[in-house]
Amino acid sequence: MKRTLLSLVAAVAAFFCAPTANAESPDGLEARYPVSFTYDGKEFDPAAWKPVRKDIDAQTFCVTYTSPDGKLALKVTYKQYSDYPVYEVRPTLECLSDTPTAIVENFKFLDYVTECPSSRVKIRRMTGSMSYGSDFVRHDVLMHQRFECCALSMSQLEGKGSAWLPYLGVDYDPLNGVEVAVGWTGAWKADITYYEDLNFAVGLDKTYFKMLPGEVFRMPYTVIYERHDKSVDDGLAEFHRFIIKYKTPRDASGKIFEPLLPLTASGGNKTDENMLMVLDKATRTFPDIPFNAFWVDAGWYGEPHEVTQDSNCGPFWYKWAGLWKPNTWSHPDGNMMKVAKAAEEKGMRFLLWFEPERATIHSPAVQQHPEWFHRDRNESDEAYLLDLGNDEARAWIIEEVSRNIRESGVKVYRQDFNMDPLAVWRANDEPDRQGVMEIKHINGLYAFWDELHRRFPDMMFENCSGGGRRMDIEMMSRSHSYCRDDAHMFPGMDDMTQNITLNSTAYIPFTGGETFACPVFDTYSWLSHMAAGTVFTPTDFDGMFLRREPDQKEIDWFTKMLTVSNRVRPLFFGDFYPLTHEAFDSPAIYCGYQLDEKESGKGFFIIFRRDQCQESEFELRLKDIDPKATYIVEQFEGKTKKMKGSDLARQTLTFDEPRSYKLFFYSKKK
């Protein structure tokens, strides 16, 4: 990245003169965490763009830069939190003219340079969700100031934002660094170089566009946590606390939505009668399990048509996307209210699946309003992308979804997205408007969610997108994610689901594991899938409650599994600590993590010895345990005993065989 000597010196000086988390004003952030781009063939120069600063509150200010030709405004809002060493950078572009602007190119929404005290820098990163067994695996990179190891690039192939998980760690040394969370539900890219200094740049995958009169583009934003004199684990625990406090969805009263323990009959292909039967039988069979949501997934919509009562969503659930009215063969009332009321009577919120951005040729809207939809010319008739950047199209889908929410008593809105938008955006961009379709679509997506939230402020949002493919901080500040990877649907994915919880929970506290691929009586598999929320689909266990009744051994096992899943659920509000730190994936290692509630002194930890692990002993090192206190320690499926804190925190656990686990709950004695 080309830089003037003056701007480089300012950025470096600003970084090392950084204000603390309790500083009274957020001065210096413009130079410390700048944005960059090219306009009209020239690199953005803050001094030449007539900056005007406006203080919004004690923590927040906005700097407006006006281009030399007077046609373009860059507005950057900076926020420094008073109680955490966390900073936000939120840029916006606006056309000020009644004629188009010059070309904006290579927009980086964070582009900072800093010296590093050591000769090496570690970049912590991990794969995101792509429905592979290699999802959520750490791929740390050690960068040196030499040609072979001085550059790193990451990009998003689909345009959903989480092929690489959009949370990156930069370790300047073992006790200092930053965490960068990307707030963009689209195609971001990162370019990191380490020559004389470290240059960390995150931008859009492609930007080469003019802006038209009246256009305002909300650009991607970043959240930056600075780690000073803390280990990586302690820093991530602090960032985790920040995310729960400030970046977690809340209801109209300001209360954080608790993680769900959903019961589901799976897809909406089930008839009302079958759904009610599963709901009734499950709650009578497991009377002590506090299910708090009843989940209806894909397949409830479309023209009247007979649907097989498959254990999942039926074979043609994708066919009717875009025709958002209940299939009256399955749901004769033309809505889902009968099921929603039955769930409410049993203390559950009604969750319903939608996929508002995709439509098929079978949707009347595609026929009546072809200007609302786009597709890659290589795609089939099952993949039309609704243009959320089109005001009329967005207004239509808001009304369609809102009507179904009202008519069917929806209390948890679940949004899926089963196509790759990047190719569609690229195929439909004009030569001098490259990147615009993506920007307008993602801006429209946020506007769509914001309007639903305004209309239904107590409705919880759940975000899937083909299994955890939109897990950036913007979306996760608005939603939970209970289907965090579609690979969980395949058997043998225990290692992968362990990796999800181990590697993502520090950044994304409230995710869920679906258990229908776990073999009955396989406790190791169930606990591997367990997370803040654990989804129970009895019909996927060989049609349980739909085609057959469980025997007593099954009932006892499911009761035990659901009870422990519910027990860990509130502890995910606590501090998260990884207990294993391998920056690679293997069936021959241990995997473990700890959740700890400081205030109550309660917590739990779980260790998995994977199926090819040859080591029988694991050296346990717990965090936040008072060495002088006494703890009540309960082993799942084992004994309860008292332990001195020092003995609890530092001990050797013995595992008799591979593919085994140890789960302990602890509570500090008052």
Side-chain angles (χ1 to χ4, degrees), residues 55-260:
D55 291 330
I56 298 172
D57 55 40
Q59 299 181 100
T60 314
F61 68 95
C62 177
V63 182
T64 300
Y65 303 90
T66 303
S67 62
D69 65 6
K71 291 186 175 184
L72 181 67
L74 166 69
K75 298 180 180 180
V76 188
T77 301
Y78 294 92
K79 182 170 184 177
Q80 174 186 334
Y81 288 83
S82 60
D83 51 348
Y84 288 93
V86 176
Y87 309 87
E88 289 183 8
V89 183
R90 291 180 177 267
T92 300
L93 292 175
E94 180 177 356
C95 179
L96 302 176
S97 174
D98 57 3
T99 59
T101 69
I103 295 293
V104 176
E105 188 174 2
N106 197 26
F107 192 90
K108 305 286 181 65
F109 47 95
L110 180 66
D111 189 2
Y112 79 88
V113 175
T114 184
E115 292 180 338
C116 293
S118 67
S119 62
R120 64 186 65 85
V121 174
K122 178 187 282 188
I123 307 299
R124 285 177 286 105
R125 61 177 183 167
M126 72 191 84
T127 55
S129 175
M130 292 288 287
S131 296
Y132 298 136
S134 56
D135 290 351
F136 294 90
V137 171
R138 280 178 57 186
H139 285 263
D140 296 356
V141 176
L142 193 62
M143 302 185 72
H144 292 271
Q145 293 170 315
R146 53 181 287 168
F147 178 76
E148 298 88 350
C149 330
C150 63
L152 175 67
S153 294
M154 289 173 279
S155 60
Q156 304 287 322
L157 299 176
E158 298 180 315
K160 293 184 181 180
S162 293
W164 285 106
L165 206 66
Y167 304 86
L168 304 172
V170 183
D171 299 338
Y172 306 135
D173 59 47
L175 296 178
N176 297 279
V178 296
E179 305 294 331
V180 178
V182 175
W184 187 247
T185 318
W188 59 271
K189 64 177 181 179
D191 292 296
I192 306 167
T193 57
Y194 189 32
Y195 298 111
E196 294 180 358
D197 302 306
L198 178 75
N199 182 193
F200 186 99
V202 193
L204 289 172
D205 182 70
K206 181 178 287 188
T207 46
Y208 183 89
F209 58 79
K210 63 184 180 184
M211 292 185 66
L212 304 181
E215 286 187 328
V216 178
F217 291 168
R218 173 182 178 177
M219 304 301 281
Y221 89 107
T222 46
V223 177
I224 304 116
Y225 164 78
E226 292 182 355
R227 179 168 54 85
H228 299 293
D229 297 321
K230 284 187 175 70
S231 69
V232 172
D233 284 356
D234 289 341
L236 284 176
E238 184 175 42
F239 192 39
H240 179 82
R241 289 193 290 273
F242 163 81
I243 288 173
I244 289 179
K245 184 174 182 179
Y246 290 110
K247 298 295 179 180
T248 299
R250 299 171 183 262
D251 63 19
S253 70
K255 183 180 178 182
I256 292 176
F257 285 109
E258 293 185 354
L260 296 177

Side-chain angles (χ1 to χ4, degrees), residues 367-563:
Q367 305 291 335
Q368 297 166 8
H369 295 281
E371 72 278 10
W372 290 355
F373 297 88
H374 303 283
R375 63 173 176 154
D376 179 0
R377 295 174 183 85
N378 296 321
E379 289 285 344
S380 70
D381 285 343
E382 311 301 343
Y384 285 81
L385 179 68
L386 178 67
D387 184 358
L388 288 179
N390 180 307
D391 292 342
E392 291 183 352
R394 188 172 65 255
W396 168 76
I397 195 60
I398 287 171
E399 293 304 325
E400 286 292 285
V401 172
S402 296
R403 174 177 52 79
N404 280 283
I405 289 171
R406 288 190 298 267
E407 293 178 356
S408 293
V410 177
K411 295 296 186 292
V412 182
Y413 167 81
R414 170 171 163 81
Q415 182 159 323
D416 205 346
F417 190 30
N418 292 288
M419 65 181 294
D420 300 343
L422 187 59
V424 180
W425 294 330
R426 295 291 178 264
N428 290 278
D429 271 334
E430 299 171 11
D432 59 356
R433 298 269 283 171
Q434 295 178 53
V436 169
M437 280 203 70
E438 174 184 350
I439 293 169
K440 295 183 74 170
H441 186 97
I442 300 303
N443 282 201
L445 173 66
Y446 299 152
F448 169 64
W449 274 44
D450 288 346
E451 179 58 19
L452 289 185
H453 180 70
R454 187 192 68 80
R455 296 184 181 195
F456 309 101
D458 284 315
M459 184 176 68
M460 185 177 179
F461 288 70
E462 198 274 340
N463 162 35
C464 175
S465 301
R469 300 191 186 193
R470 282 176 160 177
M471 300 184 82
D472 60 281
I473 198 167
E474 180 72 71
M475 288 296 270
M476 299 316 298
S477 67
R478 303 159 179 263
S479 63
H480 291 191
S481 183
Y482 292 98
C483 181
R484 52 195 184 170
D485 199 300
D486 275 357
H488 77 275
M489 294 187 292
F490 309 116
M493 289 293 174
D494 299 335
D495 290 359
M496 188 273 291
T497 55
Q498 293 168 16
N499 288 335
I500 299 178
T501 306
L502 175 69
N503 293 326
S504 71
T505 303
Y507 305 105
I508 310 168
F510 302 131
T511 65
E514 296 192 73
T515 58
F516 61 76
C518 303
V520 181
F521 307 124
D522 190 340
T523 302
Y524 180 95
S525 183
W526 183 289
L527 296 178
S528 297
H529 288 69
M530 180 178 70
T534 304
V535 184
F536 180 47
T537 312
T539 55
D540 282 322
F541 291 95
D542 193 28
M544 189 165 69
F545 299 138
L546 188 62
R547 295 190 299 270
R548 71 175 187 89
E549 300 303 315
D551 60 33
Q552 191 58 50
K553 287 184 177 180
E554 288 179 305
I555 293 172
D556 292 344
W557 183 76
F558 281 119
T559 299
K560 181 171 61 176
M561 294 298 97
L562 291 165
T563 299

